[in-house]
Amino acid sequence: MTKRGGLSLRPLEFGTTGFYPPFTGAEMARRSEELGFDFQMFSENHTRVPDCLGEMRDAARATDRIKLLCGPLNFVTRNPGVIASGIVPIQMLSGGRAICGVASGDSAVAVVGKRPQHVNELERDLGILRSHLHRRDVTFGDLTSRLEWAAGLTFDPVPIQMVCSGPRAIAVAARLADRIGLSVGANPDRITWALKIIDEALGEAERSRDEVRIGAFLPVAITTDRATGRKAIRPRTAGWAHMSSFKGNDLSQQPEIMRRVTSVLRDTYDYRYHHPGAPAQNPNTAACDEEFGDWFGIGGPPSYVVDRIGELVELGLDFFVTALPPAEREQFAGEVMPPLRTLRS
């Protein structure tokens, strides 16, 4: 492990995510492992995919190296103790390769008519989850609770990765999570904005940057040239950008190029188009013009993608997650990941 500017520079990690057909989790993770990805993320939405924790158990038995990341799960549809009880067996089956992804809630919450969790409640439940995963007691009034069934078993605490986009959620992640997954787009200025919030919150919590891994969920499109890249990335940005439009985010503090999109998505985002098979032209993508898409995402040939993500590596990010069609995923693994890894070798 080397240091630059006082920060430890750890090897980069690359993850892949997306919805999946029933009972394909094992094969999906096995293929991602073959391609060289460091972790496979299993999406959470009970109407679109089968239970991700079940798929992860199958994947744990079918793989040897790749880390297995759930969700992100949320505390609106799942209790923190239930999440802990589900992820610990995967940690044991996989030999310590589980990562517990959490967030305030997105499509999995919307499909049951609920809203993303308020940040104060999220912080409370994240603390409960952390206590369970570290084998500590949790108190509810006069009741004390813990994972009694796991008392005699041996396993390392499952790291928590929180996905976040708003300033208050980012600060909560810095205080309590082990891994911070930023969903703020790929623009370096926006990443720098988020890193400043993280550093301030880490300082207040008396934690160091070395105690957390920080990464980004990136809208990416791999094409033959920049012109087609700009066109291809535009319809892929709405699903990520709308997370920055949630109630509680002060849109007036966002850059104008972002605010003109999030101010529309806040009231009009339609979850009927929140899936990979949705038509490229729909009410959600209509809010995202080509200029915004090129600012928020990364679209172009592999060499351009390498250069753009390389800028984020220089800012200190440790991992990157993409959701790509099969052909682009293979191209990303073969032509983007290897040169980027040399930046931390």
Side-chain angles (χ1 to χ4, degrees):
M1 184 183 294
T2 59
K3 281 184 175 284
R4 182 184 301 159
L7 296 177
S8 296
L9 299 182
R10 294 159 289 202
L12 293 177
E13 291 181 330
F14 297 94
T16 177
T17 187
F19 292 134
Y20 43 86
F23 313 117
T24 61
E27 180 55 35
M28 179 177 66
R30 185 163 49 237
R31 179 56 181 156
S32 295
E33 186 174 75
E34 292 172 353
L35 288 172
F37 283 96
D38 299 286
F39 58 94
Q40 175 69 59
M41 188 170 180
F42 294 77
S43 299
E44 165 77 340
N45 183 315
H46 66 278
T47 69
R48 302 273 169 79
V49 291
D51 179 61
C52 63
L53 298 177
E55 296 285 343
M56 290 172 69
R57 285 202 189 196
D58 291 342
R61 296 184 177 97
T63 55
D64 300 309
R65 176 193 59 80
I66 196 166
K67 296 175 183 177
L68 307 171
L69 167 64
C70 62
L73 307 180
N74 67 83
F75 303 120
V76 177
T77 60
R78 296 187 190 245
N79 180 275
V82 174
I83 292 175
S85 185
I87 197 68
V88 166
I90 297 167
Q91 176 78 328
M92 298 175 65
L93 282 172
S94 67
R97 292 184 284 128
I99 303 173
C100 188
V102 298
S104 62
D106 187 19
S107 66
V109 170
V111 296
V112 293
K114 302 291 186 179
R115 292 185 176 275
Q117 190 175 33
H118 190 278
V119 68
N120 292 338
E121 297 173 348
L122 174 63
E123 184 165 16
R124 175 201 64 201
D125 288 345
L126 187 57
I128 293 172
L129 174 64
R130 189 172 187 85
S131 291
H132 278 306
L133 295 179
H134 284 258
R135 302 169 181 261
R136 295 195 291 263
D137 289 344
V138 179
T139 302
F140 302 99
D142 296 331
L143 175 67
T144 299
S145 175
R146 65 185 305 132
L147 297 184
E148 297 177 17
W149 63 266
L153 302 177
T154 301
F155 60 91
D156 292 330
V158 182
I160 297 172
Q161 177 170 305
M162 182 170 160
V163 182
C164 43
S165 55
R168 289 184 294 172
I170 292 171
V172 168
R175 289 194 290 269
L176 291 175
D178 304 293
R179 300 167 60 95
I180 304 171
L182 298 172
S183 182
V184 299
N187 183 270
D189 290 341
R190 200 61 180 166
I191 295 293
T192 299
W193 165 83
L195 290 176
K196 181 180 178 181
I197 295 171
I198 290 171
D199 286 338
E200 290 175 352
L202 286 173
E204 293 171 359
E206 298 184 342
R207 303 180 78 191
S208 73
R209 180 83 78 88
D210 287 343
E211 293 182 59
V212 296
R213 290 185 69 88
I214 307 171
F217 285 72
L218 301 179
V220 172
I222 298 180
T223 61
T224 56
D225 54 55
R226 279 285 290 131
T228 54
R230 284 176 62 95
K231 289 182 173 60
I233 193 59
R234 185 186 71 81
R236 299 186 185 185
T237 55
W240 304 91
H242 90 285
M243 298 177 190
S244 295
S245 74
F246 290 166
K247 299 283 197 257
N249 286 315
D250 185 353
L251 304 190
S252 69
Q253 299 301 309
Q254 296 178 356
E256 191 277 332
I257 191 173
M258 185 177 190
R259 183 171 61 253
R260 74 185 188 217
V261 172
T262 55
S263 61
V264 175
L265 294 177
R266 168 169 285 186
D267 297 317
T268 65
Y269 192 80
D270 191 335
Y271 280 98
R272 291 177 298 177
Y273 301 101
H274 188 86
H275 60 86
Q281 301 305 319
N282 62 65
N284 298 336
T285 61
C288 305
D289 56 48
E290 191 171 298
E291 181 186 12
F292 171 77
D294 201 44
W295 179 88
F296 192 82
I298 302 174
S303 59
Y304 175 76
V305 177
V306 169
D307 289 343
R308 285 290 307 278
I309 297 180
E311 294 180 57
L312 307 183
V313 174
E314 289 299 314
L315 291 177
L317 296 192
D318 299 311
F319 66 87
F320 302 93
V321 186
T322 56
L324 293 166
E328 291 180 49
R329 184 165 61 245
E330 294 193 11
Q331 200 169 8
F332 184 88
E335 300 180 51
V336 175
M337 284 162 36
L340 286 172
R341 289 192 193 279
T342 65
L343 300 178
R344 290 282 182 88
S345 62

